[in-house]
């Protein structure tokens, strides 16, 4: 059965309601600057379909490896089978996506992988330091903004005044509220409940969902390789949910 050994991590956890400065900076760099920087740079170099397979798709494997190495987690047979199916499925979907990409897309693909690595490390630290959802929401992104905003204003010459007000409001709500504060709160809440490895294994549904949504939205019919990949990912997620349900 899935089990986290009993360990005393009190030395890793700040006794106050706020994380100490070094912990906050580490989480901000990983989840805010690192993940966002790698991911959005990659989007300018490679198609979004590659992100689903190479960023979100590789996240469960990277997080699981780190959880075994640094948290001492052990996986039961059902969860190992689920992880194996997810890896096979993501590999098949990624193989199809990368094979249809341009010659320079590999640079973006590498950055997508590094974005997943950054988020995987953040997930492990959030569990190890027992970060609470409200802590993550009010510390990670404000610190990331304090670090990045001066650089953005001084170096990149922003032209926000040229953007329509309506578009700015939409992006503020979507990117500034939902995709950051709300999603961070929800994600850490699930990590607290199920652990980093189990949480990221559930995100493996993204590559399969992207392929399926492309049928009605884009008229793109998946190849037989992608169909097999979707079936493997679906089976892996089902195994993960079964392992969580059986968890004492």
């Amino acid at each position: 059965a899935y089990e986290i050994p009993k360990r005393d991590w009190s030395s890793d956890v700040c006794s106050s309601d706020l994380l100490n400065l070094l912990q906050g900076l580490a989480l901000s760099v990983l989840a805010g600057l690192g993940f966002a920087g790698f991911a959005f740079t990659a989007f300018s170099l490679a198609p979004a379909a590659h992100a689903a397979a190479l960023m979100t798709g590789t996240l469960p494997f990277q997080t699981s490896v780190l959880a075994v190495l640094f948290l001492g987690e052990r996986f039961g047979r059902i969860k190992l089978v689920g992880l194996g199916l997810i890896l096979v499925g993501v590999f098949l979907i990624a193989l199809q996506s990368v094979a249809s990409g341009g010659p320079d897309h590999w640079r973006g693909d590498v950055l997508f992988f590094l974005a997943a690595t950054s988020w995987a490390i953040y997930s492990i630290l959030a569990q190890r330091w027992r970060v609470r959802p409200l802590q993550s929401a009010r510390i990670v992104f404000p610190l990331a903004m304090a670090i990045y905003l001066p650089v953005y204003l001084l170096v990149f010459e922003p032209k926000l005044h040229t953007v329509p007000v309506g578009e700015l409001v939409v992006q503020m709500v979507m990117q500034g509220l939902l995709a950051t504060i709300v999603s961070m709160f929800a994600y850490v809440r699930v990590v607290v409940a199920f652990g980093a490895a189990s949480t990221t294994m559930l995100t493996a549904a993204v590559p399969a969902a992207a392929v399926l949504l492309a049928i009605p939205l884009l008229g793109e019919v998946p190849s037989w390789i992608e169909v097999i990949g979707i079936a493997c990912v679906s089976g892996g997620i089902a195994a993960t949910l079964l392992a969580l349900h059986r968890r004492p």
Side-chain angles (χ1 to χ4, degrees), residues 17 19 27-28 31 122 126 131-143 180-189:
D17 188 49
L19 296 171
L27 295 176
S28 296
Y122 164 78
V131 178
R132 292 186 289 274
L134 282 177
Q135 286 180 318
S136 66
R138 67 188 181 200
I139 291 178
V140 171
F141 287 105
L143 276 177
T180 53
I181 297 175
V182 175
S183 65
M184 179 66 71
F185 178 89
Y187 180 81
V188 174
R189 181 67 186 86

Side-chain angles (χ1 to χ4, degrees), residues 3-5 7 9 66-74 128:
E3 178 180 349
I4 300 179
R7 294 176 58 182
W9 289 343
L66 292 175
V68 171
L69 294 177
F70 297 105
L71 298 180
E73 292 195 11
R74 293 180 290 176
R128 183 181 180 94

